[in-house]
Amino acid sequence: MNIFKQFFKSLYSPKDIALFRFQGIGKTILYIFFLTLLSIIPSSYFLSTALIDGVNTARESIEEDMPDFTIENGQLSSEENRPVTINKDGFTIIVDPTGAVSEKDLSNEDNAVALLQNELVLVAGGQDQVHPYSMLGLNLTKNDVTQLLTNLDSMMGILVPVMIVVIYLFSSAIKFVEISILAFFGLMLKNLAGRNLQYRHLWRMAAYSVTLPTIFFAIMGALQTQVPGGFLIHWFVSLLMLYLAIKEIPKPTVKE
């Protein structure tokens, strides 16, 4: 059975998952890489799009709306004597050489970059990071930042594929760990079901048992829909599929 048939069978057939326990380990590993590739497509797309759009938006906003500024000797200076806030496409840019805006004032922002009097504040997904200019050793002007973003935009054809490869490798490693843990729980499930299985058999079965929840959450990610209790649902469905697959294996014959 080829990898695509295995994929579709694993979505609904514990009986077929049970049969996969006899196949070679190499084919199972290949299937895990294939499944991981499918699972990261939505997140990779949205992350790449957000990165590209974010760089373009930031560059355009800086060129058109941001006042001239200079960061020198650990302090921001500008001809503006008041804070300047730019909101564009759900992204906020703040320039404040006066000290009126602080890190706490950014607590309600989801995605923002703030050039404050003495520090750079980055906010992504509601989480902020503060970087004092003096520690960064920054000496920048508006033109320097614009040129930096222009160079970054021209490198997106390289940066985005590299980023996707890193995400893929990291996700694959996580998937292998997940399957190994699931197979460990399978040792308890096979005792509960009274089946004679070794860990290597359970590991192969676990690799296919995670198919349904993995694809479900990939689809939810593509729809940008948050699933409450997603972690617990993922593990519950994986364990259930593995247990049903174990139940499909005949019980060992008891000799009289």
Side-chain angles (χ1 to χ4, degrees):
M1 188 180 296
N2 64 44
I3 196 170
F4 299 104
K5 288 184 178 179
Q6 287 184 321
F7 169 72
F8 288 110
K9 292 285 187 180
S10 298
L11 289 171
Y12 65 89
S13 177
K15 184 176 181 179
D16 285 286
I17 292 175
L19 294 175
F20 296 154
R21 72 188 185 278
F22 295 120
Q23 73 176 17
I25 188 65
K27 190 172 183 179
T28 305
I29 291 174
L30 178 63
Y31 180 81
I32 295 170
F33 281 117
F34 169 73
L35 183 63
T36 304
L37 179 63
L38 293 180
S39 70
I40 69 165
I41 289 175
S43 59
S44 296
Y45 170 77
F46 288 119
L47 186 60
S48 301
T49 302
L51 181 61
I52 293 171
D53 292 345
V55 171
N56 289 331
T57 299
R59 187 184 72 249
E60 293 172 1
S61 298
I62 290 172
E63 289 178 344
E64 299 171 5
D65 305 318
M66 186 177 287
D68 290 331
F69 65 86
T70 300
I71 299 175
E72 192 173 9
N73 299 323
Q75 189 166 357
L76 174 71
S77 60
S78 174
E79 295 180 355
E80 291 286 338
N81 56 5
R82 58 183 179 83
V84 176
T85 302
I86 304 166
N87 292 300
K88 195 169 185 178
D89 298 332
F91 193 83
T92 303
I93 300 175
I94 298 173
V95 180
D96 175 32
T98 67
V101 179
S102 67
E103 176 194 350
K104 294 180 180 179
D105 297 321
L106 303 171
S107 59
N108 295 325
E109 299 290 344
D110 289 324
N111 298 286
V113 174
L115 298 173
L116 305 184
Q117 189 175 42
N118 299 303
E119 58 198 12
L120 168 68
V121 181
L122 303 175
V123 183
Q127 301 295 318
D128 65 307
Q129 296 181 8
V130 181
H131 304 282
Y133 302 132
S134 56
M135 294 188 64
L136 295 175
L138 284 179
N139 289 289
L140 293 174
T141 64
K142 174 182 173 178
N143 290 335
D144 292 333
V145 175
T146 301
Q147 186 60 46
L148 177 64
L149 290 173
T150 300
N151 294 337
L152 187 61
D153 185 43
S154 66
M155 295 175 61
M156 283 298 164
I158 298 174
L159 293 176
V160 169
V162 169
M163 179 189 68
I164 292 174
V165 169
V166 171
I167 292 173
Y168 176 57
L169 294 176
F170 180 77
S171 299
S172 296
I174 294 297
K175 186 63 69 177
F176 276 98
V177 172
E178 174 192 339
I179 289 167
S180 298
I181 295 173
L182 182 61
F184 174 78
F185 283 111
L187 292 173
M188 292 180 278
L189 293 176
K190 65 103 175 178
N191 291 331
L192 183 65
R195 301 304 194 268
N196 186 18
L197 290 166
Q198 297 179 7
Y199 182 81
R200 58 191 177 91
H201 297 136
L202 292 165
W203 196 89
R204 290 172 173 85
M205 293 166 63
Y208 294 93
S209 297
V210 299
T211 301
L212 179 58
T214 298
I215 296 303
F216 171 76
F217 283 102
I219 294 173
M220 291 298 102
L223 298 174
Q224 295 186 293
T225 302
Q226 187 71 27
V227 180
F231 178 81
L232 294 177
I233 293 173
H234 182 98
W235 277 97
F236 174 78
V237 175
S238 298
L239 287 166
L240 179 61
M241 289 295 288
L242 180 58
Y243 180 70
L244 293 175
I246 291 172
K247 291 281 287 183
E248 290 292 335
I249 298 172
K251 287 187 176 181
T253 304
V254 180
K255 293 183 180 180
E256 296 183 0

